[in-house]
Amino acid sequence: GQQLNQSPQSMFIQEGEDVSMNCTSSSIFNTWLWYKQEPGEGPVLLIALYKAGELTSNGRLTAQFGITRKDSFLNISASIPSDVGIYFCAGRTSNTGKLIFGQGTTLQVKP
Amino acid sequence: DAGVIQSPRHEVTEMGQEVTLRCKPISGHDYLFWYRQTMMRGLELLIYFNNNVPIDDSGMPEDRFSAKMPNASFSTLKIQPSEPRDSAVYFCASSTGEASGSSETQYFGPGTRLLVL
């Protein structure tokens, strides 16, 4: 079945550093989404991407929809302690309503 | 808007007991999704509904799991009988549509943390 490989699995960085994480797929997706999940809560949508090559920003977050439609990355600039959480990528193919989720990237930020 | 509402937030039960999880989607959303999250398997889609009709239940683990959506504002996920391996966080999510565009963004509830002893 469809799978998403998300990396890295975890990151421990210093406050102020930039962060980059990515997802790759064996299938072509027509939608890429990035979510953040904090402890005890459900995932919250950060950025949605709908076109190959699309680059979208949301504050300090920037995400891109890969040209091949099989990958996406999320960058966080100038990280702060409240960026701590688990970041998930999710993708959708054109012939199903299902979202396929990556395994998540756990981010820890040291003040 | 209150967002997606799930109850209970926590459930501890003994193996063999019936468990019922509840979800109220965001008003006006016509898609509802049930997910399960575990450390080993991550986020897995169990089933989703469109206009109260189940569309895809291929993610439902086995016959012990069942889901219903009797109306646009309420859905249940039932496990009977429950087993320790069912312990997980169960999320409900809702969205306005399936087509491309911002309308298909899924909004997640806070989850129900289930522990089966």
Side-chain angles (χ1 to χ4, degrees):
Chain A
Q2 299 162 343
Q3 290 186 334
L4 284 183
N5 294 312
Q6 184 172 350
S7 65
Q9 186 175 0
S10 63
M11 303 181 74
F12 189 88
I13 63 171
Q14 194 77 32
E15 181 178 2
E17 291 183 356
D18 296 344
V19 173
S20 184
M21 58 192 79
N22 68 82
C23 273
T24 59
S25 168
S26 57
S27 303
I28 290 176
F29 285 159
N30 70 340
T31 301
W32 282 98
L33 305 173
W34 285 92
Y35 287 85
K36 178 187 178 186
Q37 185 178 21
E38 298 187 3
E41 301 295 331
V44 174
L45 182 68
L46 298 174
I47 292 179
L49 303 160
Y50 300 102
K51 295 181 181 179
E54 180 180 355
L55 184 70
T56 298
S57 293
N58 178 7
R60 294 178 294 105
L61 278 61
T62 302
Q64 185 161 28
F65 192 140
I67 293 292
T68 64
R69 298 172 65 191
K70 292 184 177 183
D71 64 323
S72 177
F73 72 76
L74 175 71
N75 286 343
I76 305 173
S77 62
S79 60
I80 58 178
S82 62
D83 290 334
V84 166
I86 305 175
Y87 292 79
F88 291 97
C89 63
R92 186 201 313 279
T93 61
S94 60
N95 61 348
T96 172
K98 286 183 179 180
L99 275 182
I100 309 297
F101 281 82
Q103 304 96 319
T105 296
T106 299
L107 177 64
Q108 298 182 53
V109 180
K110 183 179 180 181
Chain B
D1 198 314
V4 176
I5 299 173
Q6 290 186 247
S7 65
R9 291 294 305 273
H10 303 271
E11 178 81 24
V12 180
T13 190
E14 292 185 343
M15 181 174 64
Q17 296 297 307
E18 176 181 301
V19 175
T20 299
L21 311 181
R22 297 172 177 80
C23 175
K24 175 178 169 55
I26 293 173
S27 177
H29 284 191
D30 49 13
Y31 282 82
L32 184 141
F33 306 80
W34 281 102
Y35 289 89
R36 178 173 66 176
Q37 186 177 39
T38 61
M39 289 291 291
M40 293 298 295
R41 301 174 67 90
L43 265 169
E44 302 174 280
L45 177 68
L46 300 177
I47 185 173
Y48 78 94
F49 295 82
N50 177 24
N51 292 322
N52 313 337
V53 176
I55 302 301
D56 187 338
D57 65 354
S58 59
M60 294 287 262
E62 48 197 273
D63 293 344
R64 297 184 298 106
F65 285 69
S66 63
K68 294 181 180 179
M69 192 166 185
N71 58 63
S73 59
F74 183 65
S75 177
T76 60
L77 177 67
K78 183 177 293 186
I79 307 173
Q80 180 184 22
S82 58
E83 297 181 3
R85 61 191 168 122
D86 300 331
S87 298
V89 181
Y90 290 82
F91 288 104
C92 176
S94 69
S95 70
T96 58
E98 190 173 357
S100 62
S102 59
S103 62
E104 52 84 24
T105 303
Q106 293 181 23
Y107 296 85
F108 283 75
T112 295
R113 282 145 189 81
L114 174 65
L115 177 61
V116 183
L117 302 174

